[in-house]
Amino acid sequence: MTGTEAKSIILQMLGENPAAPAYFNDFQIEYWMRSALNEAAERTRYLQHTFRLSWLAGGTLALGDETIQVERLETDDDGRMRPITTEDLWRTNRNWRAHTGTPRFYYMDTQRTTGVGSGAQTVKLYPGNSSTIWYRVYYSSYPTNPAAYMLEQIELPTWCHNIVIYGTLARAYAADAGTTRNEAAAAFYGMLYDQLVERLRVRANRRLPKDWSMGDPSARRLSIGDIFPANIPEP
Amino acid sequence: MPVSVTTAVKEALKIDMPRQIGPGRRWEEALIDALTTTVAREVAEYCELVYTTQEISAVDDTAEYALGSNCIEIYQVEWASDGSTYDTILKAVTMEDLDNVSRLWRDDTGTWPARYTVTSTPGVPAIAGINGGSTYSTIIVHPKVSTAGSATLRVRFLSAVGVFDQHTVDGVVVPYMKALLYASSGDQKMAKDAPRYYAKYLEARENLKQAVSHEYAESLGRIG
């Protein structure tokens, strides 16, 4: 189902003529559709966006607005990078910002510039790479093609396309739009939306038997506990 | 006996909701069809109605393959070096497991793949993302094969396309459809009935899930 097809269903459910809606305009419906989809992505982390690009010496990776959380970063030459915090880097090496070599870790740069459009969160490598390398990043993301998605398949598995329909109907019925406002219908579709999002969360989490996300980087230090087996049998 | 779910639902609704469905009426038939299709997929997912397979031709030096958009959950991935004798079952692993097997596992090649991992949630369609990237769901096999020849992968998965008989349509899909249509009818009396139909749907759906989970033992087992 494309975004346009979903919008047609939504308008008809609202009692509108999809060709000439009287109460709601395209902008409103598409805004609510995006909102429903983004909320589902944030709650379930069902999308992993990935791409492979070159990383210039000493450069940074500026994360786009679609990013929820970086889950994995690897380089062609050295495989997976470990996440680390700047706090740990300070503890390890007081001159860590100037340290260059073969990168082994990545960290989120907490220092952001201000101003509209210039405050992207950035990922940096430690030690800083002294030559261009190729990297591949995986991050949980919001739907990445909002400009084109009305014409393309909704960025959801087909079994849960109704997430967009229920989420939009819940928002449309709750909107202060005169005679179309219907709190009972908004609550009903809100409940259906929540239930379907929960189903998606279940499917997203068990796509593999194990979790492959990084978790909390600050908790991944080597400790003496790592060398013991998880269970010690009785003698 | 399987029936066309859209046709069966439309016929049932026309009986229960006279003079409301058709050209120029409150509900156009095309809307009923489109809504029925998505609702039937929801039922197929929850009740785990149908398992099916997708065969993928292996490509030289390629580790990553796209999954179909009707895939809900992978049950098993098999490999046939000759394209027809599926004698190897791949183990489901995480990328972290692959890191432990080999630091540069993406470069590894072998005679046949032994394991696979998954990106994104199965069923996310192929749409180009930013930076030339993607969000669509794929399986990554390890190790990849240098010369694939006629080798194929077969993915056995839970499908979003269910098979419905008349009882399932009448008992499960129709109450759900009525709940949706009544809630949006604009008629207060009908709207009050929407939760009642939804409750009826939930009960029938649970019964169906129980019946099906006994029928398909494979839906109860997971790999890994």
Side-chain angles (χ1 to χ4, degrees):
Chain A
M1 183 190 294
T2 64
T4 305
E5 289 166 348
K7 187 171 71 176
S8 173
I9 291 175
I10 290 160
L11 285 168
Q12 289 180 73
M13 294 293 281
L14 290 166
E16 296 268 42
N17 176 358
Y23 289 101
F24 300 110
N25 58 40
D26 282 356
F27 179 79
Q28 282 173 302
I29 299 294
E30 289 172 24
Y31 173 77
W32 286 322
M33 287 171 72
R34 272 198 301 276
S35 160
L37 205 50
N38 286 343
E39 184 185 327
E42 193 171 291
R43 284 168 59 178
T44 67
R45 309 277 178 97
Y46 76 98
L47 281 179
Q48 265 82 51
H49 189 249
T50 180
F51 59 82
R52 181 174 172 270
L53 285 177
S54 61
W55 193 310
L56 300 177
T60 61
L61 163 61
L63 297 172
D65 289 344
E66 77 286 355
T67 310
I68 296 176
Q69 186 183 17
V70 175
E71 291 180 344
R72 182 183 172 89
L73 184 74
E74 57 187 78
T75 64
D76 280 9
D77 296 333
D78 292 285
R80 175 187 171 189
M81 302 285 106
R82 292 278 171 185
I84 197 165
T85 62
T86 50
E87 190 182 344
D88 279 348
L89 289 169
W90 277 116
R91 200 176 290 129
T92 313
N93 178 358
R94 289 182 63 81
N95 199 29
W96 62 272
R97 283 192 194 278
H99 192 177
T100 59
T102 303
R104 297 283 181 229
F105 300 91
Y106 71 89
Y107 62 94
M108 309 298 293
D109 193 355
T110 50
Q111 192 169 299
R112 297 174 73 164
T113 55
T114 56
V116 175
S118 63
Q121 182 140 31
T122 54
V123 180
K124 291 184 177 174
L125 300 176
Y126 176 79
N129 52 318
S130 46
S131 59
T132 300
I133 55 176
W134 282 87
Y135 72 97
R136 188 189 305 263
V137 64
Y138 286 90
Y139 56 84
S140 52
S141 79
Y142 297 104
T144 53
N145 205 351
Y149 93 111
M150 293 307 291
L151 302 174
E152 299 203 47
Q153 290 292 307
I154 297 173
E155 223 164 329
L156 278 169
T158 55
W159 65 267
C160 58
H161 277 174
N162 277 349
I163 280 178
V164 174
I165 293 171
Y166 298 157
T168 307
L169 286 173
R171 287 159 171 78
Y173 279 124
D176 194 3
T179 55
T180 62
R181 184 175 168 84
N182 183 338
E183 289 176 0
F188 179 70
Y189 283 110
M191 176 193 69
L192 297 186
Y193 174 77
D194 285 340
Q195 289 185 355
L196 203 49
V197 167
E198 286 308 305
R199 294 299 302 167
L200 179 59
R201 189 207 300 272
V202 169
R203 296 296 179 188
N205 282 342
R206 67 183 219 182
R207 60 182 176 269
L208 278 174
K210 301 167 195 166
D211 183 10
W212 61 279
S213 68
M214 287 298 193
D216 178 10
S218 63
R220 298 192 67 81
R221 297 179 200 124
L222 184 68
S223 76
I224 195 165
D226 292 339
I227 63 174
F228 289 125
N231 295 298
I232 301 175
E234 290 181 21
Chain B
M1 181 182 292
V3 295
S4 160
V5 66
T6 50
T7 306
V9 165
K10 217 161 33 190
E11 284 172 1
L13 289 177
K14 279 180 178 174
I15 293 168
D16 285 351
M17 301 167 70
R19 295 182 299 282
Q20 292 186 53
I21 298 167
R25 293 186 169 149
R26 173 65 182 92
W27 307 107
E28 295 282 345
E29 290 193 4
L31 170 70
I32 302 292
D33 288 349
L35 211 51
T36 301
T37 303
T38 57
V39 162
R41 286 180 178 149
E42 267 188 64
V43 174
E45 183 274 332
Y46 187 86
C47 297
E48 305 194 344
L49 290 182
V50 171
Y51 282 80
T52 189
T53 57
Q54 175 188 356
E55 293 197 357
I56 305 169
S57 296
V59 179
D60 293 354
D61 269 327
T62 301
E64 195 159 4
Y65 299 91
L67 290 171
S69 61
N70 286 325
C71 178
I72 296 173
E73 190 171 327
I74 295 172
Y75 164 60
Q76 199 168 66
V77 179
E78 300 158 303
W79 172 266
S81 296
D82 61 0
S84 60
T85 312
Y86 289 96
D87 53 4
T88 303
I89 295 174
L90 277 62
K91 187 174 190 286
V93 297
T94 64
M95 284 198 188
E96 196 153 341
D97 291 332
L98 291 174
D99 293 331
N100 292 333
V101 170
S102 165
R103 189 166 56 89
L104 297 177
W105 52 267
R106 286 184 194 278
D107 299 336
D108 294 347
T109 56
T111 314
W112 60 77
R115 47 194 81 82
Y116 74 94
T117 191
V118 179
T119 65
S120 265
T121 303
V124 175
I127 296 176
I130 60 163
N131 287 333
S134 66
T135 54
Y136 65 87
S137 62
T138 62
I139 56 169
I140 301 175
V141 299
H142 176 265
K144 59 190 176 187
V145 292
S146 314
T147 309
S150 55
T152 50
L153 285 157
R154 183 164 68 185
V155 183
R156 293 163 61 78
F157 63 89
L158 175 64
S159 172
V161 181
V163 175
F164 294 84
D165 58 24
Q166 191 67 48
H167 297 298
T168 312
V169 169
D170 292 342
V172 183
V173 185
V174 169
Y176 195 2
M177 285 294 292
K178 283 169 87 171
L180 297 177
L181 300 181
Y182 278 36
S184 289
S185 63
D187 180 307
Q188 282 195 354
K189 283 182 184 171
M190 289 178 80
K192 280 182 181 169
D193 275 342
R196 185 165 64 82
Y197 280 112
Y198 188 67
K200 199 173 168 184
Y201 157 70
L202 291 180
E203 187 183 348
R205 187 181 72 170
E206 284 306 318
N207 290 337
L208 177 62
K209 185 179 174 69
Q210 282 185 17
V212 172
S213 63
H214 284 91
E215 190 178 338
Y216 291 91
E218 67 183 4
S219 69
L220 302 175
R222 291 182 55 71
I223 294 178

